[in-house]
Amino acid sequence: MTLILPNTSCVVVSGLRQLLGQAKVRNDVPTLTAYAVDASIYRMQPQAVVLAEHEGDIDTVVRFAVERGIPLTPRAAGTNLTGSAIGSGIILDISKMNRILEVNGEERWARVQPGIVLAELNKQLGRRNLLFGPDPSSGDMCKLGGMLANNSAGPHTLIYGAVKDNVQAMRVCLPSGSWLSASSINLNDPGLDQTLAAHPSLKPILDLVQRQRSLIDSKKPTVSKNSCGYNLFGLVDGLSRGVFDLPKLFVGSEGTLGVVSEATLRLVPKPQGTLTALIHFRRLEEVGEAVPHLLSLRPSALEVMDANTLNLIGRSAHGIPADAAATLLAELDSSEGEGDLRERADQMAAICGRYQLCGDLTIAYDKEQRDQLWKARKALYPTLYRFDPRKKPINFVDDVVVPATRISELIRYLETFFEGQHVPVAIFGHIGNGNAHITPLLDVNDRQDFDKMVRAYHEIHGAVLSRFDGSICGEHGDGRVRAEYVRKMFGEELYQLFVQVKQTLDPANVMNPGIKISETPFTEHIDYQRLSKSCATCAKCNSVCPVYDVFQSEDMSSRGWFEIVTAKDYSYLDSKRVVEACLNCKSCRTICPAGVDVSELILQRRAENPNQGSRWLFALQAKLPVFEAILKLLARTQSWWDRPAPRALLERLAAPVMKRIASTAKLPADMVLPKLATTHLRNRYPELTQPSAKKAGPRVAYFHGCAANYFDDGVGDAVISVLRKHHVEPELPPQRCSGTPIETYGHVDLVKDNARFNLQSLAGYDQVVTGCASCTLMLKEYKKFFESGPEQQAADVLAKKVVHITEFVARSDQHPPMGTPEGQGGKVTYHSSCHLRAAGVTKEPRQLLKQLPGSDYVEMTDADRCAGGAGTYIVKDYETSQKVFDRKRRNIEQSGAETVATSCPACMIQLSNGMRGRVAVKHVAQLLNDAYEAGAATETRPGAGQ
């Protein structure tokens, strides 16, 4: 009789669910696929994923894993480049533990959970003029837990130090199941004995460090940064101060010694002024010569990009001179303000004037301009994915550190080495402390390139250690990629001390095995399939994904969706839950330096399985006379049915129909519905619906879209009035829905029908003005529906003619007088519609709002984040839609604005529903028109202008 063993994964999952419940434990195919990758070159599929919500969850999972010998990998944002956020057992995702627990402004510390994103942490601390100093380039997405695990640093290490320099205390769940409050304890403090008694595994480590103090001291790297191995050097430094500095042991341990549930962080005052400078050098050697002199100015950051890197990211795209051998990015912070900065800027110019530069220094004080200078550097790695369809940036020697004075020598060595291998390479990093990031571009599926990678790995790491007396790891952690080299870096004696530390705290080797202490070659578990794709898995898209913002789970994120929908074993039935969750906001595409549009991939998957429950509605919409007659009937009776009791009945009656569209779909009785127009826009302006090709001057069409035509929101009237104020008489040609909502339900055939109709209708116009963000984007992208031929050519022509009303006004040479409308003015803020940003329109709406007389424009925090309406998504998944909006509501309230403006009628519906009258919701065109009307009234008033 054959013995049938139970599936290990199923046993693990069922055991965890008995302890934690169904919702927190996942093992479905999409979830495991999403969690099989991080930002590294590796893939390992786990058996289960646990979404921890509090310390009790961590405690339960750690005990469960240790008792059964199941590998356990703690994970935060998964932005790690070394593979330490993936594993073959249980992934413990702490992303939902993302609160700031306590802030002490006077003493400058904060107690924080590990799931908080660094950018969000500093955004909240900034309101108190405080800052957490370490800032990895992935700061818009990386989370505190990962920063603690890797001992992250970033460009501003020069003045703020690495994470290990900024942690006062930590709460750690040890593999023994006990909770350690790790702090720096005086060796004479009675509390030390209590700590050692409560946690017996710590006593052998203290004894080991005391006993081997001289050996540890002798092996301490002499460079300014190091995250290789366990930080026994920090423990020895603590002994010299008379303390057992426990946080130093756990920071940088990459989840191999325990799971962190919170940390108390040292904070610094937020700078009162910042200067960013871009300096282009003709000679690489002179960069190294300039650095010691520039360090005398106390820079907060000094970043270098070599000539190869500049070529790879595109010099013209970033305004980099053709003859620049290297570009230096320097930043100065000041607590005294702009006067001090300008004085130091003059000193910087004098220092750089000694060298051969490609033009003058570019210096920026304004935040927007400074962000623009940093843009290329922060997006550098994923941008390299655009370089070649086969050769991808491969991180395997990416974090070496040498003495800062030898950085130019290192760069020259690397350039020569890779030139000899005929391998393109980007070399960049933190030149002020000698930390270089090296990213060769290789096709690891090609045997020759694979062999070049292995050779480069050993030769470069060997040269860094022997020739440059450096470190193989400055801030990214050892992970899987450098674990096999830890022994070579420190020698056998110290390496065995590392092994003893690991065995003492984690005798079962359950905590993140294969990380940091391992003999496994770095080539094991490389994800060859993914490295032939276009996505860098850097997770920048997750930082702006509204669904990830709500669920904090990788399977409900842009990066996770890419993995799911491009997987070889993709199945719509398995993946429906996640594929249907996307809002199609396009934020992922807007932010992705590699140019990946995850939402488009999801739309393609939906088109393979169109939503049949919605097809009848869109088919009816195309039959305009019938559809419009129904809407007018609803409009005339809205005062009757749009009341609490009828709406409650309507919600119940509509439920079966809604369920055919989506299991989450509903039309809630308390949702603020837009007011339907009894007379549609086209009926209000019949004279504009009769196109005249004989009209003198350029012909301008107003593509009003569905909302402005059918809703009584005033947007269409405002757009027409604004155009007339600019001496343009628009026409309203026949038109159908642009197709955005139809495409989101997978009905590409219906979208094509509408596109063909609109292409023909709009063909005779010189310009097509829109007032809707989604219409703007869709009209510009009709060409994606046609492979070739006259239709694609027509779509290309149309794309060049489409402008949003805010673009039109900003570019107009007409300047109608403006005034302050009666009862208006005050603070105005702006919600940036996602599809308008995707269409490339970001500055114009803000520019126009700043010009409104009597109004004080305030930039809203997270103005560019999705509000959650996404056209019909508010009906398709109302609950998620409102959770997305929670963030937007807080930001609107914090802005103090009386009016929130937007550029899209669909966003207005969500804003009106979410704010419930607490602020006025207006389209930018409405505010412009009000200002023009007030200006015209002032001019016609008796005595005006005298």
Side-chain angles (χ1 to χ4, degrees), residues 520-680:
T520 304
F522 84 99
T523 52
E524 195 76 21
H525 304 299
I526 287 179
D527 188 357
Y528 297 99
Q529 181 186 345
R530 181 165 56 89
L531 291 175
S532 65
K533 296 179 182 178
S534 55
C535 175
T537 63
C538 64
K540 282 189 177 293
C541 53
N542 283 10
S543 71
V544 294
C545 178
V547 177
Y548 181 74
D549 203 27
V550 170
F551 290 96
Q552 292 294 306
S553 174
E554 193 70 45
D555 55 308
M556 298 292 267
S557 75
S558 295
R559 177 176 62 179
W561 292 336
F562 178 88
E563 290 300 311
I564 292 165
V565 301
T566 61
K568 279 186 176 180
D569 58 350
Y570 167 81
S571 160
Y572 177 77
L573 291 178
D574 286 341
S575 308
K576 182 178 180 180
R577 170 180 64 87
V578 295
V579 170
E580 294 296 341
C582 174
L583 278 77
N584 186 36
C585 69
K586 299 291 185 187
S587 296
C588 53
R589 183 181 85 173
T590 303
I591 200 173
C592 180
V596 177
D597 186 349
V598 178
S599 59
E600 183 65 27
L601 296 173
I602 288 176
L603 290 176
Q604 291 169 11
R605 288 302 195 185
R606 288 182 185 172
E608 296 169 2
N609 291 271
N611 184 300
Q612 297 304 322
S614 62
R615 189 175 181 85
W616 67 272
L617 176 62
F618 297 123
L620 177 64
Q621 186 185 21
K623 299 174 181 177
L624 290 180
V626 177
F627 184 72
E628 292 182 352
I630 294 172
L631 287 181
K632 287 177 181 177
L633 175 63
L634 290 172
R636 286 193 291 270
T637 59
Q638 187 166 8
S639 60
W640 177 83
W641 58 260
D642 197 3
R643 292 179 295 163
R647 282 289 303 279
L649 177 62
L650 181 63
E651 180 179 357
R652 288 196 297 273
L653 293 175
V657 179
M658 293 289 108
K659 295 304 177 186
R660 289 189 61 198
I661 295 173
S663 61
T664 53
K666 66 177 180 176
L667 193 64
D670 62 343
M671 176 183 167
V672 178
L673 295 177
K675 186 179 179 184
L676 295 170
T678 54
T679 306
H680 294 163

Side-chain angles (χ1 to χ4, degrees), residues 72-87:
L72 176 62
T73 299
R75 176 175 172 131
T79 56
N80 177 268
L81 294 170
T82 70
S84 63
I86 57 175

Side-chain angles (χ1 to χ4, degrees), residues 116-403:
I116 194 165
V117 174
L118 174 62
E120 182 65 26
L121 171 63
N122 275 333
K123 201 177 293 176
Q124 295 190 40
L125 292 175
R127 298 188 183 110
R128 300 168 178 254
N129 286 316
L130 294 171
L131 176 76
F132 182 57
D135 65 328
S137 296
S138 58
D140 54 355
M141 186 51 209
C142 74
K143 297 178 180 177
L144 179 64
M147 294 177 67
L148 292 165
N150 296 333
N151 183 33
S152 300
H156 293 85
T157 315
L158 287 174
I159 58 171
Y160 299 126
V163 169
K164 66 180 173 61
D165 307 309
N166 293 275
V167 175
Q168 291 182 353
M170 304 165 73
R171 282 270 296 167
V172 185
C173 185
L174 300 176
S176 63
S178 61
W179 281 90
L180 169 66
S181 294
S183 61
S184 184
I185 311 173
N186 195 294
L187 294 175
N188 298 320
D189 190 330
L192 177 59
D193 292 332
Q194 295 172 6
T195 298
L196 297 178
H199 308 285
S201 57
L202 295 179
K203 182 68 165 60
I205 294 175
L206 177 57
D207 291 343
L208 180 147
V209 174
Q210 289 174 324
R211 189 172 63 252
Q212 299 290 351
R213 187 169 176 173
S214 59
L215 170 63
I216 297 168
D217 250 338
S218 69
K219 297 290 185 178
K220 184 177 182 179
T222 56
V223 287
S224 63
K225 292 169 72 175
N226 176 66
S227 290
C228 187
Y230 291 121
N231 190 14
L232 302 186
F233 317 107
L235 295 183
V236 167
D237 290 343
L239 294 180
S240 65
R241 302 192 311 274
V243 299
F244 189 20
D245 197 352
L246 277 170
K248 292 292 193 299
L249 176 63
F250 293 97
V251 173
S253 63
E254 300 184 69
T256 61
L257 304 180
V259 182
V260 178
S261 68
E262 67 177 65
T264 303
L265 310 175
R266 294 189 184 93
L267 308 177
V268 295
K270 189 177 178 182
Q272 296 304 300
T274 300
L275 169 161
T276 305
L278 203 60
I279 312 160
H280 305 295
F281 286 81
R282 292 182 188 273
R283 296 181 63 241
L284 176 63
E285 289 74 17
E286 290 190 344
V287 179
E289 293 172 20
V291 166
H293 302 291
L294 292 170
L295 287 172
S296 68
L297 300 178
R298 308 181 313 282
S300 55
L302 280 179
E303 297 288 293
V304 69
M305 293 181 282
D306 81 321
N308 293 328
T309 305
L310 301 176
N311 293 336
L312 289 169
I313 64 173
R315 291 174 183 257
S316 59
H318 299 284
I320 298 165
D323 54 347
T327 287
L328 192 66
L329 192 67
E331 191 152 276
L332 307 177
D333 288 341
S334 175
S335 59
E336 301 173 28
E338 197 166 303
D340 169 54
L341 289 174
R342 292 193 180 277
E343 183 179 330
R344 290 157 70 193
D346 292 339
Q347 294 172 4
M348 182 188 296
I351 290 171
C352 294
R354 306 170 196 169
Y355 306 102
Q356 298 179 47
L357 303 182
C358 308
D360 296 331
L361 281 66
T362 301
I363 296 178
Y365 297 89
D366 173 75
K367 185 181 185 303
E368 187 175 335
Q369 293 176 321
R370 291 190 290 105
D371 288 345
Q372 196 60 35
L373 295 183
W374 275 102
K375 189 175 181 180
R377 169 63 185 90
K378 291 195 171 185
L380 203 158
Y381 169 65
T383 300
L384 296 176
Y385 267 73
R386 291 175 178 261
F387 177 73
D388 188 286
R390 290 187 305 105
K391 294 184 182 291
K392 302 300 178 184
I394 308 297
N395 284 295
F396 62 95
V397 284
D398 56 288
D399 193 31
V400 304
V401 187
V402 300

Side-chain angles (χ1 to χ4, degrees), residues 99-104 109-113 144 171 262-265 267:
R99 293 183 297 128
I100 297 177
L101 301 172
E102 188 178 3
V103 178
N104 188 313
W109 57 261
R111 198 161 57 86
V112 183
Q113 291 184 316
L144 179 64
R171 282 270 296 167
E262 67 177 65
T264 303
L265 310 175
L267 308 177

Side-chain angles (χ1 to χ4, degrees), residues 629-943:
I630 294 172
L631 287 181
K632 287 177 181 177
L633 175 63
L634 290 172
R636 286 193 291 270
T637 59
Q638 187 166 8
S639 60
W640 177 83
W641 58 260
D642 197 3
R643 292 179 295 163
R647 282 289 303 279
L649 177 62
L650 181 63
E651 180 179 357
R652 288 196 297 273
L653 293 175
V657 179
M658 293 289 108
K659 295 304 177 186
R660 289 189 61 198
I661 295 173
S663 61
T664 53
K666 66 177 180 176
L667 193 64
D670 62 343
M671 176 183 167
V672 178
L673 295 177
K675 186 179 179 184
L676 295 170
T678 54
T679 306
H680 294 163
L681 182 75
R682 301 180 65 81
N683 303 132
R684 297 199 296 274
Y685 297 91
E687 73 280 7
L688 301 184
T689 62
Q690 306 299 321
S692 173
K694 298 179 181 179
K695 186 184 296 184
R699 296 181 68 202
V700 176
Y702 170 32
F703 190 91
H704 46 68
C706 302
N709 190 33
Y710 300 139
F711 296 155
D712 186 11
D713 57 10
V715 173
D717 303 278
V719 171
I720 292 170
S721 181
V722 166
L723 289 172
R724 285 172 167 172
K725 294 288 194 308
H726 284 261
H727 301 159
V728 171
E729 185 70 2
E731 299 178 33
L732 305 181
Q735 52 191 271
R736 291 184 183 175
C737 172
S738 65
T740 300
I742 306 173
E743 187 187 21
T744 60
Y745 290 93
H747 305 298
V748 175
D749 59 328
L750 298 181
V751 179
K752 283 186 176 182
D753 288 344
N754 284 14
R756 290 187 179 103
F757 182 93
N758 291 332
L759 285 172
Q760 185 175 0
S761 185
L762 299 171
Y765 292 93
D766 300 290
Q767 198 166 43
V768 178
V769 176
T770 61
C772 170
S774 296
C775 292
T776 307
L777 182 63
M778 182 58 91
L779 292 179
K780 285 177 175 286
E781 297 195 338
Y782 271 164
K783 60 183 177 182
K784 74 179 183 180
F785 296 107
F786 307 105
E787 292 183 5
S788 60
E791 289 174 323
Q792 190 183 65
Q793 293 172 11
D796 277 327
V797 172
L798 176 61
K800 295 180 177 67
K801 295 192 292 189
V802 174
V803 293
H804 189 266
I805 184 64
T806 56
E807 289 181 281
F808 180 89
V809 174
R811 297 173 187 173
S812 174
D813 56 6
Q814 300 290 321
H815 302 287
M818 289 185 175
T820 303
E822 188 175 344
Q824 293 189 26
K827 286 186 178 180
V828 177
T829 193
Y830 178 63
H831 159 64
S832 177
S833 302
C834 302
H835 283 184
L836 199 62
R837 286 199 318 280
V841 184
T842 57
K843 295 180 181 179
E844 292 86 350
R846 292 172 167 90
Q847 174 188 328
L848 298 176
L849 291 172
K850 290 174 183 177
Q851 296 171 5
L852 295 176
S855 295
D856 176 20
Y857 175 76
V858 290
E859 180 71 13
M860 184 203 310
T861 302
D862 294 331
D864 288 345
R865 293 193 75 95
C866 181
T872 61
Y873 191 88
I874 190 174
V875 174
K876 181 183 177 184
D877 192 343
Y878 185 77
E879 300 301 331
T880 301
S881 169
Q882 296 316 295
K883 288 176 183 176
V884 172
F885 188 76
D886 282 343
R887 183 177 188 139
K888 185 66 65 175
R889 181 190 297 107
R890 291 194 301 269
N891 290 326
I892 292 172
E893 290 170 348
Q894 287 167 1
S895 75
E898 289 93 4
T899 302
V900 56
T902 187
S903 303
C904 187
C907 289
M908 292 173 66
I909 296 172
Q910 175 77 327
L911 291 165
S912 297
N913 179 60
M915 296 310 298
R916 307 277 167 149
R918 291 193 289 275
V919 297
V921 176
K922 296 280 188 177
H923 193 285
V924 177
Q926 290 177 292
L927 294 175
L928 281 173
N929 189 53
D930 290 345
Y932 290 154
E933 295 287 351
T938 301
E939 283 201 334
T940 57
R941 194 176 301 145

